[in-house]
Amino acid sequence: ASWAARGHLWNWDALVYHHPSVTETFGRVVAEALRAGCVPVVDARGGFVEQVTPETGFLCSGPEEFVRAVRTLRDDRVLRWRMSGAARERGRALFGEEAMARRLVGWVREAAAEAAQVKGQK
């Protein structure tokens, strides 16, 4: 999504994403939706399966499941608020600045350790 479109995630209750011929390996927009508390209603494929849990959103396998998920969110405000809070927490834990920085530092340390080991073998 464009920068302008991403701003809507903070105001929307749900993000609905379905693409019959494209499987996302990592859903950046879904990660951003989670952080914003915008409940993802997405294809049950690819990276979405790792990002979305039953507490934070809906993984859908066909049009009927998308319709059911959207109706559930529309009709059950308490569930929608609960899922939004859980989505925000999961988004922060997995994709927040602190979590991303920890992973980056870990990768740099691993790379440095591997480089030192290779250098020591020469």
Side-chain angles (χ1 to χ4, degrees):
S2 69
W3 285 106
R6 287 183 227 170
H8 294 297
L9 298 172
W10 294 94
N11 299 313
W12 291 346
D13 290 324
L15 166 74
V16 178
Y17 179 91
H18 170 62
H19 198 299
S21 61
V22 174
T23 300
E24 299 284 345
T25 56
F26 176 78
R28 180 182 47 80
V29 175
V30 169
E32 292 171 0
L34 288 167
R35 289 187 64 206
C38 181
V39 178
V41 179
V42 297
D43 291 313
R45 298 183 292 153
F48 297 156
V49 175
E50 297 173 12
Q51 293 172 294
V52 178
T53 67
E55 297 78 27
T56 62
F58 296 87
L59 294 168
C60 303
S61 296
E64 301 81 18
E65 291 184 16
F66 278 93
V67 170
R68 194 174 10 223
V70 170
R71 284 184 178 152
T72 298
L73 289 173
R74 178 195 67 194
D75 296 342
D76 190 339
R77 183 172 44 175
V78 172
L79 175 66
R80 187 172 66 238
W81 280 101
R82 191 176 330 129
M83 291 181 83
S84 174
R88 198 171 6 267
E89 285 301 310
R90 183 165 175 81
R92 183 189 55 73
L94 294 178
F95 310 114
E97 291 88 356
E98 198 173 294
M100 298 296 276
R102 267 194 312 273
R103 281 199 295 274
L104 178 61
V105 167
W107 294 332
V108 170
R109 286 184 177 148
E110 286 177 26
E114 288 177 21
Q117 184 179 11
V118 168
K119 186 177 180 182
Q121 293 175 358
K122 287 186 176 181

